[in-house]
């Protein structure tokens, strides 16, 4: 019943390129929805036209977060884009704080 | 099976209006959404309230739930009454909740799995078991140790995916995958396993499985991309005179040259000692001067001598 094969995956990183179809399949949304994210400036494709578009690996994470924010919190794309940017900024600040904790007197 | 108090979970009175319920849900969802929240157990909270909302937002389910009565206490052992379910029609709209794997036994006993007509419709929200019936691609999260990024690791990952059996009933299929985590993987990165998504519902066909990598917190290092950051304690004389000191790295201790006249907060870089990759990350070491205690008379007198001879005012820049 339980399969025990060891699989090796590929890291989706800056060097990974995803097509529009792959990206839309990965997030379970129609291509039109992904196109709306491009319009909103949430993800940026490389390539001259849609058939040649490629998305960097980090687009996948952004797309997944936007999809969850949209469906769970009922925000629209512009709101999700704003939340995403603020989340990334909070994340950076939080890391900075971990590295250089503010020492309060007393 | 334990009774669940859906009103209590959402912080509501039993008399709450449908509008109150929606407002409470929106507020809690923002607070506990796992992408947004840093609350401990955010994910568990989010799931619990998702389930509560699933019942309370739907007047039919809510009426059925209310019929159980107000005398149950959360956590109390629960059996549904024998005539449960008679006279209730759960129509339309149906099951749009956080996924069949996400709800409690309590919920499933009351409302069944995938009840609500033909349209089994997952919402594509946050679900750590991570499946989505719309797509053929599946998602899951994997937590690894920092060392795994250096040496690679094999993880056994339990997944559940919904499938229709021969009678057209929805079942959760359990499967276990052994996955090799490649070296050099970064926090938040996705690993793609081609063809390992469970078959989609309806359309069929196998999609890919995506694993999102999380690092377990490490007592020494914080991770940023492929770089590691750490604080290294040094003695005052090591900082003042310069010294070769031993510093840990995930692959074992190395010697680090602390330049003379270093200070607390001075940063040193161990090039290429971060998470492997092309290029490999670095380790940033922030020095922290630690003062030995002065219970020893001799050390105390040496400090006193230093104090006289150095005539040093560290607060000169503050005008004091």
């Amino acid at each position: 019943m339980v399969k025990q094969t060891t699989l090796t995956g590929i890291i989706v990183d800056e060097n990974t390129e995803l097509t529009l179809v792959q990206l839309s399949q990965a997030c379970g949304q129609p291509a039109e929805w992904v196109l709306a994210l491009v319009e909103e400036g949430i993800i940026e494709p490389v390539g001259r036209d849609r058939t040649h578009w490629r998305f960097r690996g980090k687009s996948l994470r952004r797309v997944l977060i936007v999809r969850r924010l949209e469906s769970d919190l009922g925000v629209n794309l512009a709101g999700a884009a704003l939340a995403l940017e603020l989340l990334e900024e909070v994340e950076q600040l939080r890391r900075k704080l971990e590295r250089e904790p503010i020492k309060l007197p007393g | 099976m334990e009774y669940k108090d859906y009103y209590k979970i959402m912080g509501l009175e039993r008399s709450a209006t449908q509008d109150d319920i929606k407002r409470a849900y929106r507020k809690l969802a923002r607070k506990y959404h796992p992408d947004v929240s840093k609350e401990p157990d955010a994910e568990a909270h989010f799931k619990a309230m998702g389930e509560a909302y699933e019942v309370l937002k739907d007047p039919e389910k809510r009426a059925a739930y209310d019929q159980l009565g107000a005398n149950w206490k959360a956590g109390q052992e629960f059996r549904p009454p024998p005539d449960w379910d008679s006279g209730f029609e759960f129509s339309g709209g149906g099951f749009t909740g956080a996924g069949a794997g996400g709800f409690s036994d309590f919920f499933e006993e009351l409302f069944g799995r995938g009840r609500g007509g033909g349209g089994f419709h997952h919402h594509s929200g946050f679900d750590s078991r991570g499946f989505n019936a719309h797509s053929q691609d599946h998602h899951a999260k994997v937590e690894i140790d920092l060392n795994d990024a250096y040496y690679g690791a094999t993880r056994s990952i339990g997944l559940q995916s919904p499938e229709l059996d021969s009678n057209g009933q929805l079942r959760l299929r359990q499967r276990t995958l052994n996955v090799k985590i490649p070296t050099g993987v970064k926090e938040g990165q996705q690993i793609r396993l081609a063809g390992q998504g469970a078959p989609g519902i309806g359309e069929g066909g196998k999609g890919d499985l995506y694993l999102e990598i999380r690092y377990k917190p490490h007592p020494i290092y914080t991770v940023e991309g492929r770089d590691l950051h750490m604080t290294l304690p040094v003695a005052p004389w090591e900082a003042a005179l310069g010294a070769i000191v031993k510093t840990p790295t995930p692959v074992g201790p190395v010697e680090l040259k602390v330049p003379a006249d270093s200070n607390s907060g001075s940063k040193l870089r161990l090039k290429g000692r971060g998470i492997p990759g092309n290029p490999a990350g670095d380790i940033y070491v922030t020095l922290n001067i630690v003062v030995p205690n002065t219970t020893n008379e001799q050390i105390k007198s040496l400090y006193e001598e230093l104090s006289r001879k150095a005539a040093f005012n560290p607060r000169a820049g503050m005008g004091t």
Side-chain angles (χ1 to χ4, degrees):
Chain A
M1 266 210 33
V2 179
K3 284 185 200 165
Q4 289 292 347
T5 6
T6 299
L7 306 159
T8 306
I10 306 158
I11 303 178
V12 182
D13 62 7
E14 311 87 278
N15 303 319
T16 311
E17 292 190 328
L18 298 162
T19 64
L20 183 59
V21 173
Q22 282 174 321
L23 198 57
S24 101
Q25 201 178 70
C27 67
Q29 294 286 350
E32 292 73 32
W33 186 84
V34 179
L35 289 175
L37 265 68
V38 177
E39 289 294 310
E40 200 64 49
I42 298 173
I43 46 170
E44 283 176 18
V46 216
R48 52 196 157 83
D49 56 66
R50 278 178 201 179
T51 47
H52 293 91
W53 272 2
R54 294 288 183 277
F55 295 88
R56 299 270 176 231
K58 72 171 181 189
S59 307
L60 178 62
R61 186 167 187 232
R62 298 185 73 123
V63 163
L64 291 174
I65 292 176
V66 168
R67 191 202 60 188
R68 292 193 292 253
L69 292 177
E70 207 185 40
S71 62
D72 298 334
L73 302 184
V75 291
N76 63 15
L77 275 190
L82 177 65
L84 187 66
E85 272 167 34
L86 293 175
L87 282 173
E88 285 174 350
E89 196 178 332
V90 168
E91 186 61 26
Q92 276 175 13
L93 291 173
R94 199 169 267 134
R95 287 219 184 96
K96 191 166 183 228
L97 200 59
E98 270 176 36
R99 291 201 305 271
E100 301 155 16
I102 297 168
K103 285 188 188 115
L104 296 173
Chain B
M1 179 190 351
E2 288 182 355
Y3 176 79
K4 289 199 183 291
D5 189 336
Y6 289 140
Y7 291 98
K8 202 172 160 193
I9 287 169
M10 295 189 71
L12 290 166
E13 299 292 324
R14 295 185 85 90
S15 56
T17 65
Q18 292 305 114
D19 280 348
D20 292 337
I21 290 168
K22 191 176 173 188
R23 271 196 294 274
Y25 173 76
R26 283 286 158 85
K27 216 169 140 182
L28 288 170
R30 284 195 297 272
K31 186 169 177 196
Y32 289 114
H33 195 277
D35 283 317
V36 177
S37 178
K38 290 291 164 192
E39 301 278 335
D41 299 328
E43 203 167 321
H45 275 288
F46 189 73
K47 277 190 173 175
M49 51 159 273
E51 179 177 319
Y53 185 56
E54 186 61 34
V55 173
L56 298 185
K57 76 172 178 190
D58 178 344
E60 290 169 346
K61 288 201 189 89
R62 185 182 175 191
Y65 176 77
D66 285 350
Q67 197 206 23
L68 297 172
N71 295 326
W72 292 93
K73 295 267 176 293
Q76 196 178 344
E77 181 61 26
F78 175 80
R79 290 259 159 266
D83 60 345
W84 165 253
D85 216 7
S86 61
F88 276 99
E89 284 282 320
F90 298 98
S91 63
F95 202 87
T96 54
F103 287 158
S104 67
D105 292 345
F106 175 73
F107 180 95
E108 285 177 356
E109 183 68 33
L110 293 186
F111 302 109
R113 243 176 216 171
R115 184 192 283 277
F120 186 86
H121 174 252
H122 281 293
H123 94 162
S124 30
F126 203 95
D127 184 345
S128 68
R129 282 167 186 151
F131 56 77
N132 180 343
H134 282 307
S135 76
Q136 298 134 23
D137 287 356
H138 290 205
H139 298 268
K141 277 197 277 183
V142 189
E143 209 176 42
I144 64 169
D145 290 317
L146 181 57
N147 278 18
D148 296 339
Y150 279 79
Y151 295 108
T154 302
R155 281 275 176 282
S156 173
I157 296 157
L159 296 166
Q160 292 188 62
S161 47
E163 277 185 359
L164 295 178
D165 67 13
S166 49
N167 301 322
Q169 289 286 309
L170 192 82
R171 298 243 176 277
L172 281 180
R173 189 170 71 102
Q174 310 270 353
R175 61 196 178 119
T176 306
L177 291 178
N178 280 347
V179 177
K180 212 174 213 155
I181 310 287
T183 58
V185 68
K186 294 194 281 189
E187 165 92 18
Q189 245 172 0
Q190 311 270 342
I191 293 178
R192 179 167 59 192
L193 296 160
Q196 288 300 324
I201 289 179
E203 281 101 289
K206 283 211 167 185
D208 299 337
L209 173 66
Y210 286 89
L211 301 175
E212 187 179 321
I213 296 297
R214 296 266 155 211
Y215 282 122
K216 285 184 196 145
H218 193 281
I220 297 176
Y221 312 101
T222 58
V223 185
E224 189 172 335
R226 287 208 178 93
D227 295 336
L228 306 185
H229 294 263
M230 62 172 288
T231 301
L232 186 70
V234 289
W237 44 90
E238 288 172 335
L241 307 172
I244 306 278
V245 299
K246 277 201 168 165
T247 184
T249 77
V251 293
V254 296
E255 293 195 326
L256 173 70
K257 186 170 185 285
V258 177
D261 287 323
S262 295
N263 250 313
S264 266
S266 293
K267 260 188 191 174
L268 305 171
R269 183 168 74 138
L270 287 164
K271 200 172 181 313
R273 300 288 184 152
I275 294 173
N278 191 19
D282 304 326
I283 300 182
Y284 289 92
V285 178
T286 306
L287 300 182
N288 181 31
I289 297 176
V290 180
V291 177
N293 66 43
T294 49
T295 47
N296 178 318
E297 278 306 314
Q298 203 186 349
I299 290 176
K300 203 170 169 183
S301 71
L302 285 167
Y303 266 117
E304 279 159 0
E305 192 185 338
L306 182 63
S307 161
R308 279 191 304 277
K309 293 200 171 152
F312 173 54
N313 178 9
R315 292 164 299 278
M318 296 174 146
T320 56

